[in-house]
Amino acid sequence: MHDAAPLIDGFGRRIDYVRMSVTDRCNLRCTYCMAEDMQFLPRRDLLTLEELAGLARHLVARGVKRIRLTGGEPLVRRGFLNLARELGALRANGLEELTLTTNGVLLSQMAEELFAAGIERINVSLDTLAPSRFAAITRGGDVARVIEGIDAARAAGIAVKINMVAMRGVNDTEFVSMARWCGERGCDLSLIETMPLGEVEGERADTYLPLTHARAALEREVTLMPTSYQTGGPSRYLEVAGTGRRIGFITPLSENFCSSCNRIRIAATGTVYGCLGHDQKVELRNIMREGGEGALDAAMDALLAGKPRRHDFDIAADTPATSRHMSVTGG
């Protein structure tokens, strides 16, 4: 395998965690994530599964320890399980963890094969347990299918964490009930502040809710205790007393966590973002196809040299530096 120097940015942060999108397509249309009539990219614009696997091998050779597969919805990509098996085999070369973020719709059909491929921990996006509210947020989704998928994943041996985007006036009365439901099912929970990314309809500022409100609501009902647990992602965890379960808080706006950023994000097109809060990126698709490993290394090193110290999201104005559709839920 190609041997290269570690991935280190201009601030000395070692990049060992990659979020890799395998598709921009999704079988739901969550209101905070994409427009109802979302126009997806032509398939020819996406990296092939072979190219995704090759890029992952190269990044692991440069010291990447964790890869999270995202979308869109990764499970809709034809051949996804083959990709997962190839990436799972990279544990023999230094990869420590392969994880997945999914909406759970197809999970019940694929859970056992995902575990066999080496995916032992997943995040499932689930913003509400109320069927009608879930259908409204996802524009027609069936929460029962997601719960069935979560149960199938747990039965297959996969650790499940629920990702819940906190939205004022939408699901802000459900934090305690979701935490209890997660405890009953043996799942951790991450609460996530709305992030101003992607092309959607409506103003995110109307539903933005600082997680201090969610934490206060939880602490009125349960006891939250400090824990040293971490996953390498941006969640800051507390343990729910008496349950052994944890609640993570992802606070890109109210509590900036950029100083410890160890991540880059790769879109399904091969575009690599050093920071989602800046239009700072490099296009790898043609470089990979035409330039070889030397050109790939040079492009990655140039990107990391310019990786910003922190993002510049502005929820009040809802004017991010970039506009794109990528999964942003945390590790």
Side-chain angles (χ1 to χ4, degrees):
M1 178 174 285
H2 176 73
D3 189 20
L7 297 165
I8 299 176
D9 74 5
F11 298 99
R13 295 173 296 196
R14 185 162 183 157
I15 306 304
D16 60 7
Y17 177 18
V18 171
R19 295 175 59 87
M20 178 178 286
S21 171
V22 303
T23 182
D24 64 329
R25 287 167 169 76
C26 190
N27 47 5
L28 297 178
R29 295 290 182 274
C30 295
T31 54
Y32 57 81
C33 186
M34 64 175 69
E36 187 170 9
D37 59 349
M38 183 75 179
Q39 299 298 306
F40 297 113
L41 295 168
R43 294 186 185 277
R44 64 178 179 273
D45 290 349
L46 305 183
L47 294 182
T48 66
L49 295 180
E50 292 76 14
E51 288 169 333
L52 287 166
L55 180 55
R57 284 193 295 271
H58 187 87
L59 293 170
V60 169
R62 294 201 61 179
V64 167
K65 303 297 184 186
R66 297 180 180 89
I67 295 176
R68 174 169 293 279
L69 300 174
T70 71
E73 168 50 42
L75 299 187
V76 304
R77 176 88 189 246
R78 185 175 301 172
F80 175 79
L81 285 169
N82 291 332
L83 175 66
R85 293 183 192 103
E86 283 202 58
L87 269 56
L90 292 176
R91 289 187 172 188
N93 301 102
L95 184 69
E96 294 178 358
E97 189 176 47
L98 178 66
T99 58
L100 167 73
T101 294
T102 174
N103 62 30
V105 171
L106 299 177
L107 193 51
S108 64
Q109 306 165 33
M110 303 172 71
E112 291 185 359
E113 290 178 282
L114 291 170
F115 183 76
I119 296 176
E120 298 176 355
R121 188 168 65 88
I122 64 173
N123 291 1
V124 178
S125 301
L126 180 61
D127 301 315
T128 178
L129 296 169
S132 59
R133 188 172 295 155
F134 183 87
I137 292 172
T138 60
R139 298 189 176 101
D142 180 1
V143 72
R145 290 189 65 184
V146 178
I147 294 171
E148 180 184 0
I150 291 167
D151 291 342
R154 295 283 293 122
I158 299 174
V160 177
K161 183 176 73 171
I162 302 302
N163 284 341
M164 181 181 188
V165 176
M167 292 173 280
R168 184 188 302 275
V170 179
N171 62 357
D172 52 357
T173 63
E174 291 191 68
F175 303 131
V176 173
S177 58
M178 181 67 83
R180 287 175 172 157
W181 184 87
C182 288
E184 291 168 0
R185 272 181 161 71
C187 302
D188 288 344
L189 170 66
S190 271
L191 299 173
I192 304 168
E193 287 179 343
T194 304
M195 295 175 70
L197 296 168
E199 298 177 5
V200 300
E201 295 148 1
E203 294 292 330
R204 285 191 188 83
D206 294 341
T207 59
Y208 169 67
L209 183 72
L211 289 190
T212 51
H213 293 259
R215 180 167 174 174
L218 286 162
E219 289 181 324
R220 286 192 289 269
E221 302 290 337
V222 300
T223 299
L224 300 179
M225 305 184 304
T227 175
S228 60
Y229 178 80
Q230 56 183 3
T231 62
S235 279
R236 296 174 177 176
Y237 288 93
L238 294 169
E239 186 171 316
V240 181
T243 69
R245 306 319 310 169
R246 293 167 289 259
I247 299 180
F249 297 84
I250 301 179
T251 54
L253 299 173
S254 64
E255 286 184 76
N256 185 273
F257 49 67
C258 295
S259 62
S260 60
C261 183
N262 63 339
R263 297 172 293 285
I264 55 174
R265 290 163 172 83
I266 303 175
T269 57
T271 304
V272 184
Y273 296 94
C275 176
L276 288 182
H278 293 262
D279 198 19
Q280 190 253 349
K281 61 188 178 183
V282 62
E283 306 289 352
L284 289 187
R285 186 178 64 218
N286 290 340
I287 292 172
M288 290 171 60
R289 292 174 180 176
E290 300 168 8
E293 288 192 337
L296 176 57
D297 278 330
M300 290 296 301
D301 291 340
L303 174 84
L304 293 180
K307 180 175 167 66
R309 182 182 291 274
R310 57 163 291 161
H311 66 63
D312 60 0
F313 294 136
D314 180 1
I315 194 65
D318 202 15
T319 53
T322 56
S323 180
R324 57 188 166 275
H325 168 59
M326 290 184 70
S327 173
V328 296
T329 46

